[in-house]
């Protein structure tokens, strides 16, 4: 026969419309009922009478359930979604400028961009509705998936563009595609107190070398910074933090030496072109001089009448293209909108109590900020040109998909922030 406590809990749970909130609410109510029950037992009541008294004290189960559902139901961050939609729309600006130059592939690129955005929207919304806490137990699965994907890119013998190896699956994808899997893997590893630090460091070392071997320097840099930030913010003991810093410094030195010894010819030319553009004006320095001139001649409203097609205008140099064609006002508005993501993510992070959720946000915001800052600085001529994309704006599947996944993870954490708070209160 069902006792009063079970009957009360069942009636409350009936009012909770979302499955993932029911367990958390049930745990909290059990906790509160037991607290009140213990107080009555100390006053001399029997266990059964104390429990009945505690249940009665909780009030009407139907009204309580409705109140708890309003408080703890999963939330949607509409501001982040509005930002995402707005960014998807303005990401067509670079491609529309190409059409004005009678660029033969302009319409084709726009059509593909629409497909990429659809993939990105599905990824962001799909991940938002998945409970991120489920990822915590899947660390090894995500790591294996990421490494298998890197292996497939390596053995596919697909197209090599600017030295970077791609896998063609209807679209060209590179090792950047493995980063979301590795991001989720290390979020799990670093939030697991039973995971050995030395093993985590080894797993990171091999994945980093694999990405670098596939000639993806920008992704190597992006991935290394992300893992370092997640290491730094993980709940490791001081001894482990010391080990990690030592490993990271040693690794950075080793990679720097490796790069200096094995840097390919075209990569050396890019570096020399950046350092001494005037001396290499006819070759690798040409783009740096062109960037300097376009930015110097940039106006508030752009110069669309000047029919000068900028190389990589829809990929690496998308921000320079915005300055040239649409002007500084539009370019700065785009940067402002992209910056709002950072501010919003920081605000969300301050509201998250769950250590694992916080670690996910640390990794996600690092991925976003590194892309944003490096690409912007690169387009302004402050850093060497690499394949680093301006989030969402640069053409290609990965700039859209990677950042959509980042936003999807953050939306998933935000959606369940009150459930986590409830858990900590109990």
């Amino acid at each position: 026969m069902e006792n009063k406590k079970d009957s009360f809990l069942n009636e409350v749970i009936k009012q909770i419309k979302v499955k993932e909130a029911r367990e958390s609410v049930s745990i909290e109510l059990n906790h509160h009922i037991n607290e009140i029950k213990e107080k009555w037992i100390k006053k001399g009541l029997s266990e059964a009478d104390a429990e009945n008294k505690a249940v009665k004290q909780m009030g009407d189960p139907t009204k309580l359930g409705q109140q708890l559902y309003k408080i703890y139901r999963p939330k949607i961050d509409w501001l982040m979604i509005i930002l995402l939609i707005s960014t998807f729309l303005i990401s067509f600006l670079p491609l529309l400028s190409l059409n004005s130059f009678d660029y033969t592939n302009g319409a084709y690129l726009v059509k593909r961009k629409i497909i990429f955005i659809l993939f990105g929207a599905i990824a962001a919304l799909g991940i938002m509705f998945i409970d991120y806490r489920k990822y915590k137990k899947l660390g090894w699965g995500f790591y294996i998936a990421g490494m298998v994907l890197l292996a497939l890119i390596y053995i596919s013998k697909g197209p090599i563009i600017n030295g970077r190896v791609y896998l063609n699956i209807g679209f060209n994808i590179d090792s950047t595609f493995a980063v979301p899997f590795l991001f989720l893997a290390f979020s799990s590893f670093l939030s697991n107190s039973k995971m050995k630090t030395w093993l985590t460091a080894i797993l990171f070392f091999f994945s980093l070398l694999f990405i670098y071997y596939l000639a993806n320097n920008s992704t190597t840099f992006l991935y290394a910074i992300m893992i370092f930030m997640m290491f730094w913010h993980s709940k490791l003991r001081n001894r482990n933090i010391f080990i990690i810093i030592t490993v990271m410094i040693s690794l950075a030195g080793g990679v720097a030496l490796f790069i200096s010894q094995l840097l390919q010819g075209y990569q050396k030319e890019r570096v020399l072109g950046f350092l001494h553009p005037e001396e290499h004006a006819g070759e690798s320095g040409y783009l740096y001089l062109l960037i300097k001139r376009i930015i110097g001649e940039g106006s508030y409203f752009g110069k669309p009448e000047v029919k000068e097609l900028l190389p990589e205008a829809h990929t690496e140099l998308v921000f320079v293209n915005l300055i040239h064609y649409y002007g500084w006002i539009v370019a700065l508005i785009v940067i402002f909108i992209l910056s709002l993501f950072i501010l919003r993510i920081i605000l969300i992070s301050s509201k998250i109590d769950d250590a694992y959720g916080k670690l996910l946000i640390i990794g996600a915001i690092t991925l976003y900020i590194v892309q944003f800052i490096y690409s912007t600085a690169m387009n302004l001529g402050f850093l060497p040109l690499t394949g680093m994309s301006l989030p969402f704006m640069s053409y290609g599947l990965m700039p859209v998909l990677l950042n959509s996944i980042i936003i999807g993870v953050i939306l998933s954490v935000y959606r369940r922030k009150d459930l986590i708070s409830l858990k900590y209160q109990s």
Side-chain angles (χ1 to χ4, degrees):
M1 181 176 178
E2 191 175 49
N3 61 33
K4 284 188 178 182
K5 178 182 174 182
D6 291 338
S7 177
F8 174 82
L9 291 174
N10 287 335
E11 187 60 35
V12 172
I13 294 303
K14 283 181 184 178
Q15 312 307 315
I16 309 298
K17 308 300 182 183
V18 180
K19 183 179 179 181
E20 60 190 280
R22 292 172 186 162
E23 182 181 356
S24 296
V25 169
S26 179
I27 291 172
E28 183 194 30
L29 290 179
N30 257 307
H31 177 76
H32 288 318
I33 289 173
N34 288 334
E35 277 187 334
I36 298 171
K37 174 182 169 182
E38 289 298 320
K39 291 179 181 178
W40 285 112
I41 289 175
K42 288 179 180 179
K43 291 181 179 181
L45 293 182
S46 66
E47 187 171 343
D49 289 340
E51 183 170 280
N52 290 337
K53 196 85 170 176
V55 169
K56 186 176 180 180
Q57 196 170 328
M58 295 296 293
D60 181 79
T62 302
K63 290 183 179 179
L64 180 61
Q66 292 170 351
Q67 291 171 354
L68 288 173
Y69 177 62
K70 288 180 181 179
I71 296 172
Y72 297 120
R73 64 184 177 184
K75 306 296 193 300
I76 294 177
D77 186 356
W78 290 108
L79 179 57
M80 184 73 82
I81 289 178
I82 290 171
L83 275 175
L84 185 62
I85 293 171
S86 301
T87 308
F88 280 155
L89 292 176
I90 64 174
S91 70
F92 284 98
L93 289 176
L95 298 182
L96 294 177
S97 72
L98 294 183
N99 285 331
S100 71
F101 292 107
D102 299 322
Y103 191 65
T104 55
N105 290 328
Y108 170 73
L109 294 178
V110 169
K111 291 177 182 177
R112 286 173 69 88
K113 181 76 172 184
I114 292 172
I115 296 172
F116 297 159
I117 285 176
L118 288 175
F119 279 139
I122 291 170
L125 294 178
I127 292 171
M128 180 184 74
F129 285 108
I130 298 173
D131 188 344
Y132 75 92
R133 293 170 292 182
K134 295 179 180 179
Y135 302 147
K136 192 173 182 179
K137 298 179 180 179
L138 301 175
W140 282 104
F142 285 125
Y143 185 81
I144 292 170
M147 296 302 286
V148 167
L149 182 57
L150 292 174
L152 287 175
I153 295 171
Y154 172 72
I155 66 176
S156 68
K157 300 187 184 301
I160 299 177
I161 303 173
N162 290 332
R164 186 182 299 185
V165 183
Y166 286 84
L167 170 66
N168 189 285
I169 56 171
F171 307 107
N172 285 334
I173 63 171
D174 60 22
S175 54
T176 309
F177 202 75
V179 170
F181 294 100
L182 297 172
F183 158 54
L184 293 174
F186 281 95
S187 298
S188 175
F189 295 156
L190 294 171
S191 60
N192 184 356
S193 58
K194 296 180 180 179
M195 188 72 177
K196 301 296 184 183
T197 305
W198 62 266
L199 178 57
T200 306
I202 289 174
L203 292 174
F204 166 61
F205 181 79
F206 280 111
S207 58
L208 185 71
L209 283 185
F210 211 155
I211 291 173
Y212 177 77
Y213 189 75
L214 291 172
N216 199 335
N217 294 333
S218 59
T219 303
T220 304
F221 175 72
L222 182 67
Y223 177 58
I225 295 295
M226 177 196 72
I227 297 298
F228 177 78
M229 292 301 294
M230 291 171 69
F231 265 130
W232 185 258
H233 288 88
S234 63
K235 289 189 174 181
L236 298 176
R237 290 173 295 178
N238 292 335
R239 177 178 60 85
N240 289 337
I241 292 177
F242 176 76
I243 293 172
I244 290 165
I245 293 175
T246 302
V247 170
M248 294 295 292
I249 292 173
S250 300
L251 181 61
V255 169
L257 179 63
F258 186 60
I259 291 173
S260 66
Q261 294 295 320
L262 300 180
L263 203 62
Q264 297 183 35
Y266 77 92
Q267 294 171 323
K268 287 182 180 179
E269 284 297 317
R270 277 199 168 190
V271 173
L272 291 173
F274 170 71
L275 295 175
H276 309 288
E278 291 81 7
E279 297 177 13
H280 301 267
E283 300 172 348
S284 56
Y286 167 74
L287 273 181
Y288 295 102
L289 294 174
L290 181 60
I291 290 170
K292 183 178 180 180
R293 179 170 63 80
I294 288 176
I295 290 176
E297 296 175 353
S299 64
Y300 289 120
F301 303 102
K303 297 180 178 180
E305 72 282 355
V306 179
K307 304 299 182 182
E308 180 177 23
L309 181 59
L310 180 69
E312 311 295 340
H314 59 305
T315 53
E316 286 188 30
L317 300 181
V318 64
F319 185 56
V320 178
N321 180 35
L322 290 174
I323 295 171
H324 169 63
Y325 189 80
Y326 297 102
W328 277 102
I329 291 177
V330 170
L332 292 176
I333 288 173
V334 170
I335 292 299
F336 175 72
I337 292 173
L338 294 177
S339 300
L340 289 178
F341 279 108
I342 299 172
L343 296 176
R344 185 58 186 166
I345 295 169
I346 292 172
L347 182 61
I348 289 173
S349 177
S350 67
K351 297 179 179 179
I352 305 301
D353 295 319
D354 178 37
Y356 176 61
K358 234 175 180 34
L359 197 59
L360 283 171
I361 290 181
I362 291 294
I365 195 173
T366 301
L367 285 173
Y368 185 88
I369 288 177
V370 171
Q371 292 178 86
F372 176 74
I373 292 178
Y374 193 100
S375 180
T376 304
M378 176 182 76
N379 274 255
L380 294 174
F382 297 130
L383 291 172
L385 293 172
T386 68
M388 193 73 74
S389 300
L390 188 62
F392 296 110
M393 299 302 296
S394 297
Y395 176 81
L397 176 61
M398 285 317 305
V400 174
L401 196 55
L402 173 62
N403 292 288
S404 296
I405 291 172
I406 289 171
I407 300 303
V409 169
I410 293 166
L411 287 170
S412 178
V413 176
Y414 178 87
R415 182 173 168 79
R416 293 154 186 90
K417 67 182 179 67
D418 291 328
L419 295 182
I420 296 300
S421 297
L422 179 153
K423 174 184 173 184
Y424 275 77
Q425 290 166 11
S426 62

